[in-house]
Amino acid sequence: ETGVTQSPTHLIKTRGQQVTLRCSSQSGHNTVSWYQQALGQGPQFIFQYYREEENGRGNFPPRFSGLQFPNYSSELNVNALELDDSALYLCASSLGAGQGDYGYTFGSGTRLTVV
Amino acid sequence: DQQVKQNSPSLSVQEGRISILNCDYTNSMFDYFLWYKKYPAEGPTFLISISSIKDKNEDGRFTVFLNKSAKHLSLHIVPSQPGDSAVYFCAASYSGTYKYIFGTGTRLKVLA
């Protein structure tokens, strides 16, 4: 059973640029959630995708967008990058919304630095 | 507004002793709580959960206690081992929602 894989592991972007982060969900999972973890903070919910549709969204502006593909993998896109977007971006897969004895399975994250 | 709070940023415990990590929440609608452990350069790993119909859940060395009236939960690790050294996050959700609210984490250091 493979876990959640995220790519790239690190990247550096310039303010104003656009970035795409990728996530392959754990085998058997149909739901992907994205979280942003700023330094010294807990993960904050960005959005969740279920069956290729956005299933809920946190308090993030529209320049944060996503996709889920038929194989349940997912992308997070961020346009017009700002310095405050620098953070660890975590992808989590689950079967359903994540409530249950096992919660999410997280990937190792993508560390984004905006300069 | 921080709905889930972990007021201790760090904790040091001797190997073999008990580690107690605390978490407070403000939203009385939360009905499901989890603890995650995070090592550097890795994603959070699920540790243990508890639903609001229980006040205790055990899994090996890990026990989570829930006090709904105080809106407080705690994670007990007995006995603590050096491999338990990590950042621990509590998270909460409520039925029908699709997201977890995480605390800011507590860094546990178990001293050999």
Side-chain angles (χ1 to χ4, degrees):
Chain A
E1 171 179 286
T2 58
V4 176
T5 305
Q6 291 187 244
S7 63
T9 54
H10 296 83
L11 76 165
I12 300 174
K13 288 286 189 177
T14 303
R15 190 172 47 183
Q17 284 188 312
Q18 179 267 343
V19 69
T20 297
L21 312 181
R22 294 180 174 82
C23 172
S24 295
S25 60
Q26 180 171 305
S27 175
H29 285 181
N30 57 14
T31 303
V32 172
S33 304
W34 286 91
Y35 283 78
Q36 179 197 66
Q37 186 179 6
L39 202 60
Q41 301 296 315
Q44 288 204 5
F45 177 76
I46 303 175
F47 42 54
Q48 182 180 84
Y49 278 83
Y50 173 67
R51 292 186 175 178
E52 302 177 57
E53 292 197 3
E54 189 178 286
N55 190 41
R57 190 178 182 89
N59 189 26
F60 281 81
R63 58 189 185 84
F64 285 77
S65 63
L67 284 173
Q68 187 181 33
F69 301 100
N71 66 354
Y72 305 126
S73 66
S74 178
E75 286 182 356
L76 164 64
N77 300 290
V78 187
N79 293 322
L81 284 166
E82 301 177 359
L83 297 178
D84 284 349
D85 296 333
S86 296
L88 179 69
Y89 288 84
L90 294 163
C91 170
S93 73
S94 58
L95 187 61
Q99 281 209 355
D101 286 344
Y102 301 102
Y104 296 139
T105 300
F106 279 92
S108 298
T110 294
R111 173 73 61 189
L112 171 66
T113 302
V114 181
V115 297
Chain B
D1 177 28
Q2 190 70 28
Q3 296 186 66
V4 178
K5 299 178 185 178
Q6 294 176 258
N7 292 318
S8 298
S10 63
L11 174 68
S12 291
V13 171
Q14 285 295 130
E15 181 180 7
R17 306 295 291 268
I18 184 171
S19 295
I20 301 176
L21 296 94
N22 293 305
C23 180
D24 297 295
Y25 62 95
T26 58
N27 190 337
S28 58
M29 291 182 66
F30 288 145
D31 59 6
Y32 199 77
F33 305 88
L34 304 94
W35 284 92
Y36 282 88
K37 178 169 71 173
K38 187 179 186 300
Y39 294 117
E42 294 184 14
T45 303
F46 171 80
L47 197 57
I48 193 168
S49 65
I50 189 167
S51 81
S52 59
I53 62 173
K54 296 183 177 180
D55 54 18
K56 178 182 173 181
N57 190 26
E58 286 182 85
D59 184 0
R61 297 185 297 115
F62 303 91
T63 303
V64 56
F65 294 92
L66 175 62
N67 183 333
K68 290 184 290 294
S69 60
K71 295 190 180 68
H72 177 84
L73 65 157
S74 61
L75 174 68
H76 293 208
I77 307 173
V78 185
S80 300
Q81 299 173 354
D84 296 330
S85 297
V87 178
Y88 289 78
F89 292 98
C90 68
S93 77
Y94 54 89
S95 298
T97 63
Y98 36 75
K99 65 181 180 181
Y100 286 98
I101 308 296
F102 282 81
T104 52
T106 296
R107 184 177 300 278
L108 173 66
K109 183 180 287 188
V110 179
L111 307 170

